[in-house]
Every structure is written in structure tokens, then in C-alpha cells.
């Protein structure tokens, strides 16, 4: 197999936003540079949110100022509203990822607005970009499989949102299992349904491993034809507005699984493991990834000689 799977590294944003430790911008820049040295080419680097609500995301502009444009690399900024779009433009991000909650319960608690208002904001941002320019826009539909406040997220609800996003010309649509409740069979069905609703959009998936189904859901996505997956170095992550939400699937675990099967990711697995341990030291907790504990599979020389 030589199929390339693009892994979008979200550690500097989603990986850090739920941690108690608040890193200085310089540490975040160092983290991003280490990830790029590991092979990351698209990184969710910053979040243009209210720093009083999410202090871990403070310093977005300072971080971007230390990351001049580089060929073949894209630093993504998370955007929730027009104010966030304005900040993203001023900070010169390479991409803007607009988050829209798939349920009103999560939308009101996370972003202070119901779904209809968030979709209206998305449409306004798209119109502003078409009129005045700006970075490419993707959209992530959070709680696309289940909501901590509204319960199950109906497939029809997600499909309708994807159809509207496709009509706006959004180039990439991500389905996020924000609280880690999805299963591989539901993932496959939802991907197929969204693909029919927005056939021109590239699909991306974003899984949390809250209930130990993250890698299984990633497998199902790849089998369903998805070529872009989010992951977080060390398995860090979570949402401060989602009760009991834990980390994203670990980048090193995902890379191991895919490359063991023959897919291509462009990442250096050993460097990823070391970077996961490094960021764990910075935030005062060890990485939760399996590869940080077990390491990659290596056949001992003695065992190989004996087998021969």
C-alpha cells in the first residue's frame, strides 16, 4: 500500500486547551517546531478564542509572529466568530478552521450561540473572504456523533449542516467526536451520508479516545475513503466545556497503525515519541499514548539470528 494519509497535528491547540498547565508562547512555538521536525505539515497551531474563558490559548498572535510562512507548511488558526476571523487575518494564519457545534446544547455552552447563529456566522465569514480575501476556510462540526447535553446527535442533523457548508463552497469538512462516543460502524455510515450531502468537499475526521474507540474509528474512516485525520502528539487533549472529555487519538499511535499497514504518513515515529515525552515534561504529566510506553515494534537481533 502506498496511499498517503494526511495527519493534521492538533496538539498545540486541542492538545493543550484542556490542560491545567499554561505554557508560555515560546514553549508553544518550540512544540510546533518540534512537530514540524517530526514531519507535520498541517498543524492546528493557535486558537482565536476569548482568553479569559480558555487561558491556555493565550498568546495566539505572539505565536504566529514567531512562525513566518514556510513552503509546504500550514499553520491553522481556530475561529469561532467574526472577531476570531479578524484576529486570524491579522495574525496571517495559513488556514482558518471555523468550528460549528452540531447541537444547540453544546453550542450555547461552548460558543454562546445556537447552531443556526453559528451557521449564519460561517456564511458571513465566507462572504467576507470572497469579498476581501483571506486564508482558506475549513469547518469542523463538533459533537457530530454525540453531545454531553443533548444526547445522541442525529445523522440527519449533521447531514443538513454538511449540505449547507457544501453549498457555501467550504473546501474541507471535519466531523469531530468531541466527547469520544462514536463507534466504527456509525462512523462509516456518517461519512457516507455526509459525502453524499457535500460531494465536492474533502472530508476530515477528529476523534477523541474517551472510551477507547478512537483508533478503531480512525480505521473505519480510512476504510471509508477518508484521507485526512486529526491527531494529537502524546494523546493530549480535551474540551474544557465537555464534561469528562479526554484526549485525542495520539499521533504516534495513529502513525504506527497506518505505517505498519503500509500507508504513508510522512512522520518520523521515533521523533514523535520523543516529542510526546518532551511536551509531557512541559505540562507536568506523562503522555498517554501507547507508543510512549511500549515504543515501536522492533525485532531483537538475537531473536532474529535464532530464527534464521
Amino acid at each position: 500500500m502506498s496511499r498517503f494519509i494526511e495527519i493534521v497535528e492538533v496538539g498545540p491547540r486541542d492538545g493543550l486547551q484542556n490542560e491545567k498547565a499554561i505554557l508560555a508562547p515560546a514553549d508553544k512555538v518550540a512544540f510546533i517546531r518540534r512537530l514540524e521536525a517530526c514531519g507535520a505539515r498541517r498543524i492546528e497551531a493557535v486558537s482565536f478564542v476569548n482568553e479569559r474563558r480558555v487561558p491556555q490559548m493565550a498568546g495566539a498572535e505572539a505565536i504566529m509572529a514567531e512562525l513566518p510562512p514556510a513552503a509546504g507548511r500550514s499553520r491553522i488558526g481556530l475561529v469561532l466568530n467574526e472577531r476570531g476571523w479578524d484576529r486570524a487575518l491579522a495574525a496571517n494564519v495559513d488556514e482558518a478552521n471555523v468550528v460549528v457545534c452540531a447541537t444547540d446544547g453544546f453550542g450555547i455552552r461552548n460558543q454562546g450561540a445556537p447552531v443556526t447563529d453559528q451557521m449564519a456566522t460561517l456564511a458571513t465569514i465566507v462572504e467576507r473572504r470572497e469579498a476581501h480575501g483571506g486564508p482558506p476556510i475549513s469547518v469542523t462540526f463538533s459533537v457530530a456523533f454525540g453531545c454531553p447535553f443533548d444526547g445522541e446527535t442525529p445523522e440527519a442533523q449533521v447531514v443538513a449542516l454538511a449540505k449547507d457548508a457544501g453549498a457555501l463552497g467550504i473546501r474541507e469538512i471535519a466531523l469531530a467526536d468531541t466527547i469520544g462516543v462514536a463507534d466504527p460502524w456509525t462512523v462509516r455510515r456518517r461519512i457516507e451520508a455526509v459525502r453524499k450531502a457535500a460531494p465536492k468537499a474533502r472530508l476530515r475526521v477528529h476523534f477523541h479516545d474517551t472510551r477507547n474507540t478512537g483508533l478503531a474509528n480512525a480505521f473505519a474512516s480510512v476504510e471509508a475513503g477518508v484521507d485526512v485525520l486529526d491527531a494529537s502528539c502524546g494523546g493530549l487533549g480535551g474540551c474544557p466545556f465537555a464534561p469528562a472529555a479526554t484526549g485525542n487519538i495520539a499521533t504516534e499511535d495513529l502513525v504506527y497503525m497506518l505505517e505498519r499497514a503500509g500507508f504513508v504518513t510522512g512522520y518520523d515515529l521515533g521523533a514523535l515519541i520523543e516529542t510526546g515525552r518532551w511536551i509531557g515534561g512541559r505540562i507536568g504529566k506523562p503522555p498517554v499514548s501507547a507508543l510512549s510506553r511500549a515504543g515501536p515494534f522492533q525485532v531483537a537481533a538475537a531473536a532474529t539470528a535464532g530464527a534464521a
Side-chain angles (χ1 to χ4, degrees):
M1 254 179 270
S2 58
R3 177 179 160 197
F4 177 72
I5 303 295
E6 182 178 53
I7 299 176
V8 179
E9 174 58 54
V10 301
R13 199 281 300 176
D14 203 358
L16 296 179
Q17 72 171 5
N18 204 39
E19 295 299 327
K20 293 180 180 179
I22 298 178
L23 298 184
D27 284 327
K28 296 175 186 176
V29 170
F31 187 26
I32 291 166
R33 286 177 172 158
R34 281 175 176 264
L35 290 166
E36 289 181 338
C38 292
R41 290 297 174 262
R42 290 179 73 193
I43 297 181
E44 202 170 64
V46 293
S47 179
F48 298 103
V49 296
N50 188 327
E51 296 176 1
R52 291 190 299 273
R53 298 194 73 197
V54 191
Q56 294 89 337
M57 293 292 98
E61 285 82 0
I63 292 166
M64 288 304 304
E66 294 296 321
L67 297 170
R73 294 178 179 175
S74 184
R75 287 74 175 245
I76 305 168
L78 188 82
V79 169
L80 303 184
N81 48 40
E82 285 192 74
R83 169 60 178 153
W85 173 249
D86 291 337
R87 291 177 63 193
L89 288 176
N92 198 31
V93 298
D94 298 302
E95 297 179 53
N97 181 34
V98 181
V99 176
V100 172
C101 303
T103 67
D104 285 335
F106 195 70
I108 291 169
R109 289 168 175 82
N110 186 60
Q111 292 174 218
V115 178
T116 52
D117 288 358
Q118 292 179 51
M119 286 299 291
T121 296
L122 174 65
T124 298
I125 291 172
V126 170
E127 290 172 2
R128 289 181 57 187
R129 179 182 180 273
E130 290 175 349
H132 305 292
I137 296 171
S138 62
V139 63
T140 292
F141 291 116
S142 62
V143 293
F145 298 91
C147 172
F149 309 108
D150 292 358
E152 296 286 348
T153 304
E155 181 178 290
Q157 198 162 300
V158 177
V159 167
L161 292 172
K163 184 176 181 180
D164 289 345
L168 289 172
I170 298 295
R171 72 187 190 106
E172 185 178 81
I173 295 173
L175 303 180
D177 186 19
T178 309
I179 58 172
V181 295
D183 64 84
W185 297 272
T186 300
V187 165
R188 183 160 195 141
R189 288 194 301 270
R190 200 141 301 185
I191 287 169
E192 292 170 351
V194 167
R195 185 176 284 124
K196 290 178 182 177
K200 294 182 179 180
R202 190 183 191 193
L203 297 188
R204 192 174 92 237
V205 289
H206 177 106
F207 296 118
H208 286 248
D209 204 29
T210 313
R211 293 165 179 83
N212 203 34
T213 58
L215 282 180
N217 293 334
F219 166 80
S221 301
V222 172
E223 290 288 285
V226 172
D227 291 322
V228 193
L229 294 88
D230 291 356
S232 173
C233 183
L236 302 175
C239 176
F241 305 106
T246 55
N248 299 265
I249 55 175
T251 310
E252 54 267 47
D253 293 352
L254 180 60
V255 167
Y256 173 80
M257 181 181 77
L258 292 172
E259 295 200 342
R260 174 82 170 157
F263 294 96
V264 175
T265 69
Y267 278 81
D268 181 327
L269 185 57
L272 268 177
I273 294 170
E274 288 306 311
T275 298
R277 291 169 178 161
W278 177 85
I279 192 62
R282 286 296 184 274
I283 64 174
K285 60 185 287 189
V288 298
S289 64
L291 267 290
S292 69
R293 299 188 301 271
F297 176 58
Q298 296 176 325
V299 179
T304 304

